[in-house]
Amino acid sequence: MRPVHPPGLDPDRLRGLLDAERPGLVNEPLTARLIEGGRSNLTYEVTDGTSKWVVRRPPLGHVLATAHDMKREHRVISALYPTDVPVPRPVLLCEDEELLGAPFYVMEFVEGTPYRTAEQLAPLGPERTRDAVLGLVDTLVGLHAVDPAEVGLADFGRPEGFLDRQLRRWGKQLDASRNRELAGIDELHAALGRELPHSPAPTVVHGDYRLDNVLLGTVSEPEGHAGVESPWGSPRGGGTSRASEAERGGEAERGGEAERGGEAERGGARRPEGLSTIGLSTPASVPRRRTEPIKGVDRIRAILDWEMSTLGDPLTDLGLLVMYSVPLGLPDSPVSTTATAPGHPDPAEIVERYAARSGRDVSAVSWYTAFAWFKLAVILEGIHYRYTLGQTVGPGFDRIGELVPVFIEHGLTTLTSPQEGSRKG
């Protein structure tokens, strides 16, 4: 009897491609399962019984322009893999839509946990939870320290006019998913447009940076090992220190209107050969935290979900992280509830940590936080729209629609009461 495979992925066709493009990688027939948690692009765990990989592809059905670009996602992790920024090793990009019905890419499977709820974080305890979230901030500082030109991403976005273009882009995304009245959404969009801040020097921007878009795992070092902790992530487990030319993906075409070309002015964070955790150009503003033996320490093992990455204003990533640090008080929410976990740093501490370690001016963080509320409201409305059309896969989509007004209200409140953007709930 032929095994049932999840919607959107045929393991036999994938095996045929991998055998042709990566001979010897797969040893037995592949099986696949949909990894729950993704609300946008679909993510699958694939295994031959011995090794594991992850496949990413766009959602089924209604797809917004520029929002599900697999080529960009593969390109950015290929560029960042040789650096200290923790990302999975890329394996293969396929742009032939005939194979699985959409472009997709394959990457290594990284062990770790994406913490989405306070209940999941609770067993870590307050101290480990606090360290995990502050480690998330430090990892973001490390990402923003990478020189895009040095890793082949100089044309990955168009930083000039980035915030204005982002507002227009998400306004268009909202229009593409409109199917009901949403009080306050247009008011929030207009208010953001009237108060655009001046952007700092551009960097690689993740676009959806939060605790459940990274894999947290415990790294154990032997007793007596005098290691130096990387200030923004973990030693990469499995795989070589540098991706092969085939895995890097080479040059990629430019992305959409909101995400093209430009130079960045930040110092590089490329890892030199032979050093697994220490970059020669570690920013002086990011102090190494300790040099004593390390044992059983939580680390960010991989940053995931790069579908909205680009070159642009790094404070948009900070604003999103601050937004997710505001408790919503919504039991059983399908959106991350980690902010209510004991020990979770409040928004003010997150902002202060980022400012101290990056050296950036964060005085306009309330605008960036309000923009994050707006962007997430638009994303959630797009997911809700796909749900009404019967084009979502997995549980929890029936509750997405009721969250959208909550995000709009928080966005408006953050703009009218700026302190809301940098304090807890």
Side-chain angles (χ1 to χ4, degrees):
M1 181 177 177
R2 186 180 178 86
V4 177
H5 56 75
L9 191 148
D10 185 326
D12 294 336
R13 303 194 76 179
L14 177 62
R15 168 79 188 274
L17 177 68
L18 291 173
D19 284 347
E21 300 293 333
R22 299 289 185 271
L25 182 68
V26 180
N27 298 311
E28 300 292 341
L30 292 176
T31 58
R33 71 176 183 90
L34 181 70
I35 298 177
E36 294 184 9
R39 303 294 177 187
S40 184
N41 288 333
L42 301 180
T43 306
Y44 307 84
E45 178 187 314
V46 178
T47 181
D48 63 357
T50 302
S51 300
K52 294 180 181 179
W53 302 272
V54 171
V55 176
R56 290 267 289 172
R57 60 150 293 163
L60 308 178
H62 178 71
V63 177
L64 296 175
T66 76
H68 308 282
D69 192 335
M70 296 295 95
K71 188 172 184 177
R72 288 182 65 80
E73 222 180 298
H74 178 266
R75 182 186 176 190
V76 72
I77 67 168
S78 297
L80 293 174
Y81 181 72
T83 75
D84 274 317
V85 178
V87 295
R89 179 176 63 87
V91 174
L92 177 144
L93 169 69
C94 179
E95 299 182 78
D96 183 359
E97 298 187 11
E98 294 298 320
L99 198 73
L100 298 183
F104 67 93
Y105 72 93
V106 183
M107 58 185 167
E108 71 170 343
F109 179 89
V110 178
E111 294 288 349
T113 303
Y115 289 94
R116 177 178 287 271
T117 69
E119 290 73 23
Q120 291 170 339
L121 276 175
L124 297 185
E127 183 177 352
R128 287 177 65 191
T129 294
R130 181 176 182 275
D131 287 346
V133 177
L134 294 181
L136 187 68
V137 178
D138 295 347
T139 303
L140 183 62
V141 172
L143 170 63
H144 291 166
V146 171
D147 182 341
E150 194 173 311
V151 296
L153 295 175
D155 64 343
F156 194 61
R158 190 166 50 133
E160 300 82 4
F162 176 76
L163 294 180
D164 178 65
R165 212 164 46 253
Q166 281 284 296
L167 274 176
R168 287 190 283 109
R169 175 194 178 192
W170 288 104
K172 291 177 181 177
Q173 302 285 41
L174 174 63
D175 291 340
S177 299
R178 283 187 191 268
N179 67 334
R180 58 177 179 161
E181 289 295 323
L182 288 172
I185 189 75
D186 294 316
E187 177 187 350
L188 176 57
H189 186 216
L192 288 166
R194 289 192 300 268
E195 301 179 23
L196 284 177
H198 176 72
S199 292
T203 70
V204 176
V205 171
H206 182 275
D208 196 15
Y209 193 76
R210 50 198 165 102
L211 195 57
D212 59 326
N213 270 343
V214 304
L215 296 176
L216 190 70
T218 302
V219 176
S220 297
E221 299 285 353
E223 290 286 357
H225 172 74
V228 177
E229 180 181 0
S230 168
W232 55 67
S234 67
R236 207 183 309 286
T240 60
S241 63
R242 290 185 183 272
S244 69
E245 287 303 314
E247 289 162 348
R248 282 173 165 178
E251 289 298 317
E253 292 179 4
R254 293 183 177 181
E257 160 67 14
E259 303 174 329
R260 294 184 182 166
E263 292 290 333
E265 302 170 11
R266 283 281 161 192
R270 178 179 290 278
R271 180 193 308 133
E273 294 290 354
L275 295 180
S276 62
T277 62
I278 309 171
L280 288 180
S281 52
T282 298
S285 59
V286 188
R288 297 185 180 112
R289 286 179 288 185
R290 58 181 165 213
T291 56
E292 70 270 19
I294 305 169
K295 185 176 178 63
V297 179
D298 296 317
R299 293 288 197 284
I300 293 176
R301 299 183 64 85
I303 307 173
L304 308 177
D305 293 2
W306 292 87
E307 64 195 84
M308 289 189 286
S309 59
T310 187
L311 293 190
D313 189 327
L315 297 182
T316 56
D317 278 342
L318 176 63
L320 192 73
L321 198 54
V322 171
M323 186 211 75
Y324 276 112
S325 300
V326 177
L328 292 179
L330 299 173
D332 301 320
S333 170
V335 176
S336 175
T337 61
T338 55
T340 60
H344 193 293
D346 65 23
E349 185 174 7
I350 287 172
V351 172
E352 290 164 6
R353 177 83 164 206
Y354 181 89
R357 300 210 164 197
S358 70
R360 290 188 178 88
D361 178 2
V362 297
S363 58
V365 68
S366 292
W367 186 96
Y368 291 95
T369 307
F371 173 66
W373 289 114
F374 172 73
K375 186 170 87 168
L376 262 291
V378 174
I379 291 171
L380 292 173
E381 186 64 10
I383 295 170
H384 172 69
Y385 181 45
R386 289 201 303 274
Y387 168 74
T388 64
L389 298 176
Q391 295 174 345
T392 51
V393 177
F397 291 99
D398 56 323
R399 303 194 302 275
I400 292 290
E402 66 192 49
L403 290 178
V404 179
V406 177
F407 279 67
I408 296 170
E409 181 181 356
H410 272 280
L412 289 169
T413 301
T414 300
L415 275 184
T416 56
S417 304
Q419 69 274 17
E420 182 72 17
S422 59
R423 65 176 175 82
K424 192 166 183 174

